[in-house]
Amino acid sequence: TLRRLLEAARAGSVAALAEMRTMIGLLRAEDAEDGEPLTTPAGLDRLAPLLEAGRASGLRIDVDDRRQPDTALPAAVDLAAYRIVQESLTNAAKHAPGSAVTLRLASGDATLAVELSNALPTSGRRDGSGAGGTGTGLLGLRERAAAVGGRLRAGPDGERWTVRAELPTATAAREAAS
């Protein structure tokens, strides 16, 4: 299990580094001719490999995807949603290994809702920080949601730990990203 967690963490780190290089390249478009191909940042279109990695780490993941088909998200919102799912799955694997995780995605006229829940850890604190955590993961998720004009709540919900983000999909997200 530890090996799978470390492999998933490494894969996430490599992907984040590639994404950072892409963003820097896009911001410095005049330097984009250095021969390195640019790729788009990760988004929910790359959800399947993320779920596979979570399952490989021992999580049992159930997905309830109620997003409206053919609805394009602003790139910053798409990336924020992807990273929220990624960090939440990492936290579940770390603090509640082998647990059943429910991922719900839903889109409305102006918002994308992302919700993940899993059983509360059997050890550690009930605030979800558990043993060995730095506490910066949830703060980072809240900041990521706020950066696109959204909000994120995380904490115990009955016998489950729930992370719920509401991200704007319309004008507010575009204004927050600019």
Side-chain angles (χ1 to χ4, degrees):
T1 300
L2 183 58
R3 179 181 294 277
R4 287 190 305 257
L5 284 172
L6 289 172
E7 288 171 352
R10 182 185 184 283
S13 298
V14 169
L17 181 58
E19 177 185 308
M20 176 125 11
R21 286 184 179 151
T22 298
M23 295 304 287
I24 291 169
L26 292 172
L27 292 171
R28 297 175 56 203
E30 66 276 3
D31 294 338
E33 297 176 16
D34 62 3
E36 189 171 324
L38 295 178
T39 59
T40 57
L44 292 176
D45 62 329
R46 297 185 190 163
L47 188 60
L50 193 56
L51 296 174
E52 286 175 27
R55 289 180 178 119
S57 72
L59 296 174
R60 298 177 316 264
I61 305 170
D62 179 48
V63 179
D64 180 12
D65 190 347
R66 297 182 183 201
R67 291 178 290 161
Q68 296 174 358
D70 302 323
T71 301
L73 295 172
V77 171
D78 201 17
L79 174 60
Y82 177 87
R83 291 295 180 213
I84 289 166
V85 172
Q86 183 180 43
E87 178 70 16
S88 297
L89 290 175
T90 299
N91 286 345
K94 180 178 178 182
H95 299 293
S99 67
V101 176
T102 302
L103 167 61
R104 290 185 183 92
L105 300 167
S107 58
D109 291 335
T111 59
L112 171 68
V114 178
E115 182 179 292
L116 288 98
S117 70
N118 58 272
L120 281 170
T122 55
S123 63
R125 297 172 15 190
R126 284 192 52 91
D127 64 1
S129 62
T134 63
T136 59
L138 292 176
L139 176 61
L141 290 182
R142 286 185 183 100
E143 290 171 346
R144 188 176 288 275
V148 296
R151 65 178 185 222
L152 182 132
R153 294 184 324 266
D157 182 15
E159 293 300 312
R160 300 192 59 81
W161 177 264
T162 301
V163 175
R164 179 171 175 77
E166 294 177 13
L167 308 172
T169 58
T171 308
R174 289 185 197 94
E175 289 172 2
S178 58

